[in-house]
Structures are given as structure tokens and as C-alpha cells.
Amino acid sequence: MTFKHFIGSAAIAVTTALSLSAQAANVKLGVINSITGPEAPIGESISNGIKLAQEDLAAKGTKIDIVWEDDTGKPQIAMSAMEKLATRDNVAGVVGPYTSASASAVARLAEKYKVPLLVPAAAKEEITRQNFKWVYRMNAPADVYASVLIDAVLDMSKSSGAPKTAAFIYENSDFGTSTSKTAKAYVIKKGMKVVADESYSKGSPDYRSTLSKIKAQNPDVVFMVSYVADAILLMRQSREIGLQPKVFLGAGAGFTTDQFAREKDISSYVLSSTQWTDDVKWPGAKEFAQRYKAKFKMEATYHAACAYASMMVMGQTAVKEASDREKIRAELKAGKWDGIMGEVKFQDYEGYQNQNRHPMLVQQIVNGKYLTVYPINLAEAKPVYPFPKWK
């Protein structure tokens, strides 16, 4: 039997054989997240999204008992957390972790202990390319972060001439190297020349020498992969040295946060790829954003939306299958959901397993606000291109 069930103002349509009203139950689930440490600003968004999902499930009689684990963004701590959740806490499933490095490490343990793992927002491609049966991912992987941005720029530049050169600067983490690798391959495929390829260790106080090397190459495109603190510093120092490409591209993560957008003097007109926006035409997206802002006094990010959808899917599935891990795994594989992230279905394709084939969006910051500018059929506004002269 197929039906649609709407929870609160954020809609999640569920294909199932039982109504949620008949499933009132307690379920214990684990969450591994970067609650403290350098990725804590994004971790906060993830936690907030999960808390909203927990509220919505409770409103329909499903009490989710969450065992929270803070990995501080470190894989070894994430692995210890997963072992604890799988063995001592005996959770029915786990949502998380956030960073690609932690998610990669935890995925192997999910397979070892046979615990359903739903990764909400980590982008490294290999996470769902290892033939694992117990690992699922909500967000689109790194190759889509890159390709949607490049496709957007090529579309925007049709009247003025396509960009010919690209420079890359990225954190030397799993997320940074994976995303930049696919981006470099894609720009070459599209006829551009890579004129700079610079990795860095996160948390440096000064990137001006690296940015000056990039400026010397006069690239049309500057592609950055960074978490929030470095994203702000890289753009601030780009302004200081007068780096002036036709476009700055930020591959998700730090470039899609409220903290970055608030830095209006350096964030305006940057294009970033994102999994979700509050103005996208997916069921309940706008209402979710309104509830989120009212409750947490900040703008909802794609990290929050991915986390919300992941907990809704995992929570509903765990209740339906009475916390039986094997049945939860099978239902995640077979099920289909529709809500604030659009249609969710975990598929095997192009070397991926249990990967939600999620379409990504491109947004541009204008005066501190994110506006969806690509794809055209989902866009709220026209993009500003090329990047204006620094003031």
C-alpha cells in the first residue's frame, strides 16, 4: 500500500505497508557528529536538523531516543563512537558522521558490525563505492559538487565567451582532494586549462603567498574547496591581493554557511554548489526553513536539510522494522521518500552503491542572502556574471 504522510510543515512522503499511527514506538538511534572542534559550526546545523526531525517524529507517536556522539571531526574518535553505538548501546541505526574522513572510517565499521549507516552530508565519492551493504548516503557526492558549478558557469558565460583557464585551491583533506580531483577532470573535459593546483593544510593564518601564485596566472575561474573558517579567510585575502577572476566558485561546505554569507564584503557574488536551498521547489522546503529560523535564530543550510531528511528516513524505517537491523537495511534499499530534499531513493549506479541520486543546485550570495541561480527550472534569480570588481 502506498500513501503520503506529512509531518508538520515539512513533508516527507513515505512508501510503506503500515501507517505511522499504527507504529507508535520507541527507537534508539545513534548520531555521530562534529559537535565540537573546527567543523562545529556546520555540526551545529546538522544537530539542529536532526532535532527538528526528532520533534516531527514524536508528534506522530514515534519517540526517537538519540545517543549523541561527538567525533570532533577526527576519524579515530568517530570509529570509537561507532564501536560503542554498535556494541554497547545496541542502536538500530546511525546517522552521520559529517566529515568525509570520519564517514569513510565509520563506513567500514558499519559493515563490520552490520549496523545501518545513513551518511547525511559527507561528499567523498569512495564512501558509497566500496560495495558495502550497510552504508547509505543522502547527499550527492563530490563529483556532482564540481560538475554542477562548471555547467552553471558555462551556461552563464554563453554570451561573453566561455572561460578558458581555471585555478584550484583546496584543503588537503578527503573532501578537498576528492572534490578538486573530479573538478579538475571535469574542467579539462570541458576544454579549460588548469593553470594552478594548490592544496593547503586547514587552519593556516595566511594564504596570501598561495593566492598570489594563483593571481600571477590570471585565471578565469578560481575553484575553492574549504570549510567555513578557511573559506572566509581565503576570500578576504583574495580581496587584499586583488585576485580578480571572472568567477569564484566554492564547492559547498564552508561556502554555504550563514557565517560565510554574513561576511558581505567578501562573500557577495561567490557561486557555490549546494544540496538544498529554502526556495527550491521541493515539498516542504520553504516551511522547513521558516521553522528552522524561528527555532534556532539562524538560516537553515543544506547540512541541516540533509540531516533532517536522513533522520526522518532512518527513524521511520527503524520504527516500521521494529529496530531489526537487517530489515532496516533491506527497507532502506527498497524504499522511496519525497520531501524537503526532493525524491530520495538509494540506488546503485556508475560505481555507486546505496547512493541517493540527488540533483545539486547552484546559489549565489547577494547582500548576505543565498539565491538559487541554477538549474534554470529551479532558479529564483538570475546570476551576476562576471564577478564584479572588488570595492
Side-chain angles (χ1 to χ4, degrees):
M1 180 175 64
T2 301
F3 73 100
K4 283 193 174 183
H5 176 68
F6 296 95
I7 297 181
S9 58
I12 295 283
V14 186
T15 302
T16 182
L18 299 171
S19 72
L20 279 179
S21 61
Q23 297 173 3
N26 281 34
V27 172
K28 186 195 292 187
L29 296 174
V31 170
I32 304 174
N33 188 22
S34 300
I35 298 171
T36 62
E39 270 50 85
I42 293 176
E44 181 181 11
S45 294
I46 289 172
S47 293
N48 290 345
I50 288 170
K51 289 172 184 176
L52 280 183
Q54 189 179 21
E55 286 182 7
D56 286 346
L57 289 164
K60 294 299 178 180
T62 300
K63 185 175 185 296
I64 303 295
D65 295 325
I66 296 178
V67 183
W68 295 89
E69 294 289 338
D70 180 11
D71 68 3
T72 72
K74 296 178 181 178
Q76 283 300 123
I77 298 177
M79 291 172 69
S80 295
M82 185 65 180
E83 288 178 343
K84 173 181 175 291
L85 291 170
T87 59
R88 287 163 47 189
D89 295 313
N90 196 32
V91 298
V94 174
V95 173
Y98 166 54
T99 67
S100 287
S102 290
S104 295
V106 165
R108 294 191 293 272
L109 292 179
E111 201 73 5
K112 175 182 176 181
Y113 291 112
K114 295 181 169 52
V115 178
L117 175 70
L118 180 45
V119 176
K124 185 180 180 182
E125 295 168 0
E126 286 74 14
I127 292 169
T128 47
R129 278 187 161 175
Q130 302 178 79
N131 293 309
F132 287 163
K133 292 173 58 179
W134 295 84
V135 179
Y136 295 77
R137 176 160 48 186
M138 176 65 65
N139 64 295
D143 56 347
V144 189
Y145 280 77
S147 61
V148 72
L149 278 172
I150 302 305
D151 287 344
V153 170
L154 292 174
D155 189 64
M156 294 170 194
S157 62
K158 282 180 180 177
S159 61
S160 58
K164 295 180 171 57
T165 56
F168 292 84
I169 180 166
Y170 51 94
E171 178 184 305
N172 59 359
S173 63
D174 281 359
F175 172 54
T177 55
S178 178
T179 305
S180 62
K181 179 181 178 182
T182 56
K184 283 177 279 190
Y186 198 73
V187 299
I188 292 169
K189 178 182 176 181
K190 292 296 182 177
M192 291 182 233
K193 181 181 179 181
V194 176
V195 295
D197 181 7
E198 301 288 342
S199 66
Y200 67 86
S201 298
K202 69 179 180 181
S204 170
D206 195 339
Y207 298 110
R208 279 171 288 206
S209 62
T210 302
L211 291 167
S212 293
K213 288 169 63 177
I214 291 173
K215 180 184 177 183
Q217 299 300 319
N218 193 29
D220 294 327
V221 175
V222 172
F223 193 106
M224 299 179 171
V225 190
S226 310
Y227 292 113
V228 61
D230 290 332
I232 292 170
L233 186 57
L234 282 165
M235 286 304 300
R236 190 166 300 288
Q237 293 182 345
S238 291
R239 181 188 182 189
E240 288 176 15
I241 69 164
L243 178 58
Q244 188 74 55
K246 291 181 179 178
V247 64
F248 282 103
L249 304 180
F255 294 92
T256 60
T257 63
D258 192 41
Q259 294 94 324
F260 182 74
R262 286 199 301 265
E263 303 287 335
K264 297 179 184 179
D265 58 333
I266 52 94
S267 65
S268 289
Y269 309 112
V270 173
L271 291 169
S272 59
S273 50
T274 185
Q275 307 280 346
W276 175 91
T277 61
D278 61 2
D279 60 327
V280 72
K281 299 169 185 175
W282 290 329
K286 184 176 181 180
E287 293 82 0
F288 171 80
Q290 291 170 342
R291 288 178 60 213
Y292 187 97
K293 187 171 184 178
K295 185 175 181 65
F296 301 112
K297 312 305 179 190
M298 64 177 71
E299 300 293 336
T301 66
Y302 81 75
H303 304 95
C306 287
Y308 173 89
S310 296
M311 181 52 72
M312 292 300 298
V313 168
M314 183 65 85
Q316 291 169 18
T317 304
V319 169
K320 180 189 173 190
E321 302 303 342
S323 296
D324 184 303
R325 290 176 178 176
E326 174 58 43
K327 290 181 179 179
I328 293 168
R329 183 203 64 76
E331 179 61 20
L332 288 173
K333 186 71 171 180
K336 184 167 67 174
W337 301 263
D338 188 36
I340 70 167
M341 291 288 288
E343 183 179 274
V344 174
K345 182 174 175 55
F346 301 106
Q347 304 178 54
D348 299 343
Y349 67 95
E350 297 174 5
Y352 292 107
Q353 300 86 38
N354 304 331
Q355 172 66 56
N356 181 30
R357 200 163 191 170
H358 182 66
M360 287 193 71
L361 312 167
V362 173
Q363 56 188 0
Q364 187 170 52
I365 303 169
V366 179
N367 195 31
K369 179 175 173 55
Y370 287 101
L371 302 176
T372 305
V373 296
Y374 188 85
I376 300 302
N377 65 315
L378 297 173
E380 172 191 25
K382 291 184 178 180
V384 174
Y385 180 92
F387 187 82
K389 295 288 185 183
W390 288 112
K391 293 181 180 178

